[in-house]
Amino acid sequence: MNLRCIPLAFVSVALASCATGPGDFREVPASQAHATLKPGRVVKMILPFEASDTAIVSIDGRRPVYMRWDNTFRIEPGRRAVVLSHLGRSDAGEGEIVLNATEGRTYVAKSDVIGMNIRFWIEDESGGTVARKEVPREPRSRTTPMPVIVPLPAR
C-alpha cells in the first residue's frame, strides 16, 4: 500500500463530507434577522459523571450539517419544526418540537429520561422552557433465540 495516498484519500473524504445536498439545512446569513439554536447537555450526577446529550436531527425537515465544534445554528425567526434526538446511555429516541423563534434570541435544546418517557424541551437564553414534549420510550426488542438442531443417530 502506498502511504503517500493516505493523506490524499483523507482530504477527498473530508471535502466530500463538507458538501451539502438539496435536503440539508442551510443557515440564515449572519447579516439577516435570525435566532440561534444549539444542543445542550443535562448533567444528572457529577460523581460518577452521568449526563444526557441532545442532538439536533432536523430543522423544518432539513438535516443540519455538523461542521463546527459547538453545533450552533442560525435559524429564521418564526415557527420552526425541530426534531431532537436523546443521546443518554442506551435510552435513544427522537421527538419533534415546534419552536416559535424570536429574532435575536438564543435557544438551547435539551432532553432527559423521566420514568418511561423521554422528555424533550427547548430553553431560551434565560433558562425558561419555551417548548416541551414527552415521547414514550420504545421497549427494547427481544430477539428470538435461534432453534438448536441436534442430529440424532440413525436407527
Side-chain angles (χ1 to χ4, degrees):
M1 181 174 166
N2 189 350
L3 295 177
R4 287 182 283 168
C5 293
I6 292 174
L8 180 60
F10 179 73
V11 169
S12 63
V13 168
L15 289 175
S17 67
C18 292
T20 59
D24 294 333
F25 170 76
R26 299 197 188 276
E27 274 193 318
V28 176
S31 59
Q32 292 183 8
H34 66 275
T36 304
L37 177 65
K38 60 185 178 180
R41 170 180 279 179
V42 175
V43 177
K44 296 178 177 183
M45 295 186 331
I46 303 295
L47 293 173
F49 184 72
E50 184 178 341
S52 297
D53 289 319
T54 305
I56 299 170
V57 176
S58 69
I59 301 169
D60 292 333
R62 297 183 177 271
R63 298 183 73 79
V65 177
Y66 289 93
M67 292 173 46
R68 294 172 296 284
W69 288 106
D70 61 354
N71 297 327
T72 300
F73 303 99
R74 290 186 304 271
I75 59 174
E76 290 183 21
R79 188 176 174 95
R80 301 282 148 244
V82 180
V83 176
L84 304 174
S85 177
H86 176 71
L87 305 175
R89 297 180 308 190
S90 61
D91 303 312
E94 291 184 357
E96 181 176 343
I97 294 182
V98 175
L99 170 67
N100 289 314
T102 304
E103 178 184 342
R105 304 289 297 260
T106 299
Y107 299 97
V108 181
K110 296 184 176 183
S111 64
D112 198 8
V113 175
I114 304 295
M116 291 305 293
N117 296 331
I118 299 175
R119 182 177 64 150
F120 295 97
W121 72 98
I122 298 178
E123 298 177 354
D124 63 5
E125 56 213 342
S126 66
T129 301
V130 295
R132 176 184 309 178
K133 182 172 190 173
E134 285 197 19
V135 176
R137 276 194 287 179
E138 295 181 14
R140 294 177 190 237
S141 60
R142 295 185 184 184
T143 57
T144 307
M146 293 293 292
V148 177
I149 300 173
V150 178
L152 297 174
R155 290 187 188 189

